[in-house]
Amino acid sequence: MTTRLLMYLGIIVLGGLIGAKVKLKEKFIKRLGSLQTACLLFLLFIMGVKIGLDDKVINSFLSIGLNALIMSIFTVGFSVIFVYIINKLFLGGKE
Amino acid sequence: MTLKIVITVIIGIISGYFLLPQNILNYADYIIDFGLMLLLFFVGIDIGLNKSVFSRIKAKGIRILLVPFAIISGSILGSAIAGIILKLPFNEAGAIGAGLGWYSLSSILIASYSNELSALAFISNVIRELIAITTIPLVAKKIGFIEAIAPAGATAMDTSLPIISKSTDSEVALIAFITGAVCTFAVPILVPFILNL
């Protein structure tokens, strides 16, 4: 877990250094957005494939999916509400 | 963006279920790891291009840690309330919420307590991640950038980070990474703790 965290951090820092120090071509910077989108959608597709291939996951989706959905809607909902409150109270509330 | 994401994930699930052979799974994790690294690298470049990010984050200082704190308490309270509806005791429901979207670890942590609860933890945290990747662009647009970190929970430092970065700005992307890291460390501590309450 810690090694993963460090690895992710290392890669972001590496990208950050390149973004800050290396003079990147304007063209590349403009393309960065669509490159990210393409990568992201591909990654999400593979994540979907992984879920679709896992019979156990698909079967439990059908049996306990509704309960799990209720659970996660409340979990996400209250997370957003709490961050909203904290943002308004302590972080300036803009954005 | 949300629509694109939803459609892509659904096409992935359908092709995984109906079309693709099982042995693709052997490669899926490598592909995901590689794709994730590439995306995190791009997120880094984005942050590096906006040099003012660090001074703005510094200005907020330690208060930034309030974001993971809010996500963790909101998640546990939210799942506890859902537990009342589903007639689950507080410790069981709360432990699922404390999984913060990290479905593999949270289900493992709960496995020794009960298989049934472990499966519920797994699926509801998978759904949390699915909700996160689909609603982050919407929350960013309709509610706010900081709030867009909330659905992600522990995945704000990896799988959800590229989406947060695309839907918000470099400053929020950096806050998201910090938030995800704090949440990631909290999961293995909180899940057993709440389960034993």
Side-chain angles (χ1 to χ4, degrees):
Chain A
M1 189 174 79
T2 315
T3 37
R4 280 221 155 230
L5 179 70
L6 289 176
M7 200 162 65
Y8 293 154
L9 190 63
I11 286 168
I12 294 174
V13 169
L14 180 70
L17 286 175
I18 291 175
K21 305 282 177 203
V22 180
K23 264 211 148 117
L24 296 166
K25 283 198 183 129
E26 207 59 43
K27 230 178 168 180
F28 175 75
I29 294 174
K30 272 189 191 142
R31 274 196 195 148
L32 203 61
S34 35
L35 207 62
Q36 268 174 301
T37 309
C39 250
L40 182 63
L41 292 180
F42 180 69
L43 190 73
L44 293 173
F45 171 75
I46 300 286
M47 279 168 59
V49 168
K50 245 187 96 171
I51 293 175
L53 274 174
D54 198 326
D55 288 336
K56 253 198 260 162
V57 174
I58 294 290
N59 291 335
S60 10
F61 254 125
L62 299 175
S63 60
I64 52 173
L66 185 66
N67 286 3
L69 183 68
I70 293 170
M71 207 86 206
S72 27
I73 288 173
F74 274 88
T75 310
V76 170
F78 275 87
S79 303
V80 174
I81 293 168
F82 274 38
V83 173
Y84 178 83
I85 294 169
I86 282 219
N87 188 28
K88 282 277 177 290
L89 289 181
F90 303 106
L91 295 167
K94 50 177 170 50
E95 279 144 358
Chain B
M1 195 66 198
T2 298
L3 192 66
K4 273 190 211 166
I5 290 172
V6 174
I7 291 171
T8 309
V9 174
I10 290 174
I11 292 175
I13 294 176
I14 291 172
S15 33
Y17 192 69
F18 291 107
L19 302 170
L20 298 168
Q22 199 73 31
N23 62 6
I24 280 204
L25 274 185
N26 301 338
Y27 310 103
D29 285 335
Y30 293 110
I31 299 172
I32 289 177
D33 269 344
F34 179 76
L36 196 55
M37 300 288 175
L38 202 61
L39 277 168
L40 293 179
F41 180 67
F42 291 145
V43 170
I45 293 182
D46 266 341
I47 294 172
L49 285 169
N50 295 285
K51 292 178 188 100
S52 61
V53 166
F54 290 97
S55 53
R56 276 184 287 152
I57 296 244
K58 241 186 194 163
K60 290 202 169 80
I62 198 85
R63 280 176 301 165
I64 280 180
L65 293 179
L66 288 171
V67 178
F69 174 75
I71 293 176
I72 292 167
S73 21
S75 297
I76 294 170
L77 181 70
S79 61
I81 291 173
I84 296 172
I85 299 169
L86 302 174
K87 298 191 172 63
L88 280 175
F90 169 78
N91 69 322
E92 297 188 359
I96 293 176
L100 303 173
W102 191 356
Y103 49 83
S104 51
L105 185 73
S106 54
S107 58
I108 291 167
L109 290 170
I110 295 174
S112 59
Y113 177 89
S114 137
N115 275 335
E116 219 181 339
L117 193 70
S118 168
L120 188 62
F122 184 86
I123 298 296
S124 67
N125 278 296
V126 168
I127 295 177
R128 177 174 190 162
E129 182 162 6
L130 290 175
I131 292 179
I133 54 189
T134 49
T135 60
I136 285 167
L138 276 180
V139 174
K141 215 165 147 191
K142 304 279 179 196
I143 303 174
F145 282 6
I146 298 271
E147 289 85 348
I149 304 172
T155 64
M157 73 166 214
D158 43 55
T159 43
S160 299
L161 183 56
I163 303 171
I164 296 170
S165 164
K166 265 207 84 72
S167 316
T168 64
D169 56 25
S170 322
E171 184 187 346
V172 175
L174 205 56
I175 298 176
F177 183 82
I178 297 166
T179 301
V182 174
C183 288
T184 297
F185 277 105
V187 173
I189 301 165
L190 282 176
V191 172
F193 176 74
I194 293 176
L195 206 52
N196 287 320
L197 282 181

